[in-house]
Amino acid sequence: MRIARDRKSWEQALEGVEPLSTYCSWEWVSAAAEWVDRGIPELAVHECKHGKLVHPCVRRCIPGGKHRDLTSAFDFGGFWGTKTCLEEFDREWAHHCRRHGVVSEFVRLHPDSLAPPSYRVRKVRENVVVPLAGDYEAAFDPKLRADLRKAQSNNLLRDGVPWERFLELHHAQVRKLGRDPYYLFPLEWLFALPSVSCVGAYETMLLP
């Protein structure tokens, strides 16, 4: 197992990898790392007698300690290369993470990506529903999401979305979390979205 962190070694590591994706490229992952505080682009490379397997990701520092976590670059990440390398890669990758203080990883798997056997893969349906008001932790309660889907399946979809109220709550959350003012989207941005709705008594945004 080796880690590429610069363009030259990165591009050399990708030689001979089939199939290959844009999501593995140096340009893609290094650009994503620029948007992460102290983010470092990394390409994990494993070679064995069967072939080669690569895994692009962005390494992040966890405040207050020496630990790190890993995330996908922009929208998708994954594992590309020889499928028969997966089990051996999985063992080597786990050892690497323990040795270097990596405590967690979130990968939004590309549909064409492989998945190591130790990874817990959850399939998300067509929409992710997040309430804009109320307790932060409650926003991720699985029961809330189930209730919202039930309301939608029973045609309890409410028309006449209060766009101004939506933006008010969104802007309040952006400021509360200390996010960049870039995320203070104007009303015109909402109208450009393909699907924004309110379901039941919850003010929500449905993201395709």
Side-chain angles (χ1 to χ4, degrees):
M1 173 76 63
R2 69 181 190 275
I3 306 296
R5 296 190 180 94
D6 63 83
R7 178 190 287 271
K8 184 177 179 180
S9 58
W10 194 293
E11 292 179 348
Q12 289 175 344
L14 292 180
E15 292 177 1
V17 176
E18 293 289 343
L20 195 58
S21 169
T22 301
Y23 296 109
C24 294
S25 70
W26 162 260
E27 290 81 3
W28 183 265
V29 184
S30 61
E34 291 290 331
W35 290 87
V36 177
D37 182 29
R38 291 183 291 170
I40 299 174
E42 293 191 340
L43 182 71
V45 186
H46 176 72
E47 294 186 73
C48 65
K49 62 181 180 180
H50 304 293
K52 184 189 292 185
L53 191 74
V54 297
H55 172 44
C57 58
V58 176
R59 178 160 58 92
R60 305 182 294 192
C61 295
I62 297 176
K66 298 180 180 180
H67 295 113
R68 308 286 185 268
D69 73 348
L70 304 171
T71 186
S72 300
F74 292 128
D75 45 359
F76 283 118
F79 307 81
W80 281 272
T82 308
K83 187 175 183 179
T84 47
C85 292
L86 267 177
E87 288 193 16
E88 193 172 321
F89 172 91
D90 205 13
R91 292 192 297 271
E92 290 293 322
W93 184 235
H95 178 65
H96 167 84
C97 290
R98 285 194 296 269
R99 192 168 67 248
H100 293 279
V102 176
V103 295
S104 69
E105 177 176 20
F106 172 80
V107 184
R108 181 176 291 172
L109 288 173
H110 187 275
D112 294 333
S113 166
L114 302 169
S118 71
Y119 277 62
R120 185 179 63 182
V121 179
R122 293 196 304 170
K123 294 185 177 180
V124 180
R125 301 196 178 219
E126 62 274 11
N127 292 308
V128 175
V129 183
V130 179
L132 300 179
D135 183 69
Y136 177 79
E137 296 297 330
F140 299 94
D141 183 354
K143 185 177 183 302
L144 172 61
R145 183 173 174 178
D147 289 344
L148 287 166
R149 289 196 176 281
K150 189 182 296 183
Q152 191 172 26
S153 65
N154 285 288
N155 297 317
L156 297 179
L157 188 65
R158 179 157 61 94
D159 293 326
V161 178
W163 299 110
E164 290 77 10
R165 176 60 174 158
F166 179 97
L167 273 183
E168 181 185 335
L169 289 166
H170 171 71
H171 290 175
Q173 286 297 318
V174 168
R175 294 187 179 99
K176 179 180 177 181
L177 296 172
R179 296 292 184 252
D180 192 283
Y182 168 83
Y183 296 102
L184 297 173
F185 302 118
L187 197 60
E188 291 77 13
W189 176 81
L190 285 176
F191 291 151
L193 292 177
S195 176
V196 181
S197 305
C198 285
V199 181
Y202 299 96
E203 291 176 299
T204 64
M205 181 165 70
L206 304 184
L207 302 176

